[in-house]
Amino acid sequence: MSVPSTMRAVVIERPGDVDVLRVARDWPVPAAGAGEVLIRVAAAGVNRADIMQREGRYPMPPGAPSDVPGLEVSGCIVAVGAGVKRWRVGDEVCALLIGRGYAEYAIAPAEQCMKIPAGVSLRDAAGLPETWCTVWANLFERGRLAPGETVLIQGGTSGIGVAAIQGAKAFGATVIATAGSDEKCAACVRLGADRAVNYRREDFHEIVHKEFGAVDVVLDIVGGDYIPREIDLLRREGRLVFVAVAAGGEAQVDFYRVLLRHLTITGSTLRSRSVEEKGRLCAELERKVWPLFARERLSAAVDRTFPLDSAAEAHRYMASSRHIGKILLVP
């Protein structure tokens, strides 16, 4: 399969607002090294981490590229490196990256590539890897969410929230979600939430305490002053799991409650994990989650797509928080 020597890529010229994003039209096409594949990108997912990276506020792991953002793509494999056994040129995949997904071609470790789930288009699959690896690692592994339990999901219409609502419901949990408007709350219910709370006019702590008494798991992207209220809502052996702390990582907490109720407070990031660990998560998704797309119990939930050249506009749209689900860039 013919591969050009140069491509378009979205480059971060320096930390700053959306104006620092530049579309380079002669960026070198990378070569697949040992254990890697080269993907002709059909679409790339846009994530909050990309915005933080552009602003210079993302703690980059050692070896992670800072010049071109993008943590997930879908597309067709056009070259394979030495030692790659599973994949062949022409295979269609979605992949988890350490960066440089905002481009016409991207490199991915072979272990971090997954088949396109049945019932999901090649384009829409770009929004699955980062979101679902994060949800699986945090809600189901660290949070140990089990059938019959109740979970509170903060930020229900974010990419993470949409996947978490669908996944929790598909695996038999009672789901409560928060969102910032009645429209978004209605979307949460359509996705599977049993109760959606508009945090702009309702107190999630009061609602959950009154209607559910307590919850087993909280999946939080907010942090800050949400933390003590979330701890107060956890029943014995409950788990508070952080995937982000948009409102800050500090809070005044009575840890006596943690002791008395045998609570677990945990969280994790994805980007800093090893290739082997990310590969394990990808294999888990293919085995346990991907079949649910074929049964229409899960959906890709893409909100909007933008051309690659409009990456700045895609970042503005994400920052506005108007989206419900994933935002994609399409070369």
Side-chain angles (χ1 to χ4, degrees), residues 73-289:
V73 299
S74 61
C76 179
I77 293 175
V78 295
V80 297
V84 175
K85 297 179 180 179
R86 181 183 182 187
W87 306 110
R88 299 287 183 270
V89 171
D91 287 345
E92 294 184 341
V93 296
C94 56
L96 184 66
L97 313 179
I98 198 168
R100 293 180 175 163
Y102 288 16
E104 291 180 306
Y105 292 85
I107 290 289
E111 301 99 310
Q112 294 175 204
C113 295
M114 296 171 281
K115 292 181 179 179
I116 307 298
V120 178
S121 70
L122 177 62
R123 184 202 71 177
D124 289 358
L128 301 181
E130 173 75 12
T131 297
W132 274 101
C133 281
T134 299
V135 168
W136 189 259
N138 287 282
L139 184 58
F140 292 99
E141 292 190 344
R142 303 187 76 85
R144 307 187 309 277
L145 182 65
E149 291 191 322
T150 300
V151 59
L152 170 61
I153 297 167
Q154 304 285 18
T157 53
S158 65
I160 295 291
V162 165
I165 290 171
Q166 293 187 83
K169 197 63 183 177
F171 283 95
T174 297
V175 180
I176 310 160
T178 64
S181 69
D182 290 343
E183 177 192 5
K184 288 188 172 185
C185 284
C188 290
V189 173
R190 288 195 300 272
L191 289 163
D194 298 279
R195 178 67 158 95
V197 180
N198 182 343
Y199 64 80
R200 296 190 187 280
R201 60 178 182 81
E202 298 177 296
D203 184 325
F204 77 85
H205 178 274
E206 179 180 328
I207 294 290
V208 173
H209 182 70
K210 179 180 178 180
E211 298 183 14
F212 297 88
V215 300
D216 300 284
V217 181
V218 177
L219 186 69
D220 190 17
I221 63 171
V222 183
D225 64 3
Y226 273 38
I227 297 172
R229 291 186 284 165
E230 291 166 340
I231 289 175
D232 189 59
L233 287 173
L234 289 170
R235 60 173 49 97
R236 186 179 175 87
E237 301 292 347
R239 290 82 73 194
L240 171 56
V241 187
F242 294 99
V243 293
V245 284
E250 298 182 3
Q252 184 94 19
V253 174
D254 179 4
F255 276 90
Y256 197 52
R257 295 177 182 270
V258 177
L259 293 173
L260 289 177
R261 297 183 187 175
H262 295 200
L263 305 181
T264 298
I265 300 176
T266 185
S268 71
T269 59
L270 183 62
R271 196 173 194 175
S272 60
R273 294 177 184 239
S274 67
V275 170
E276 292 75 20
E277 177 65 7
K278 291 175 184 176
R280 184 192 65 78
L281 288 171
C282 289
E284 286 283 285
L285 291 182
E286 283 192 294
R287 186 165 63 91
K288 296 180 179 178
V289 176

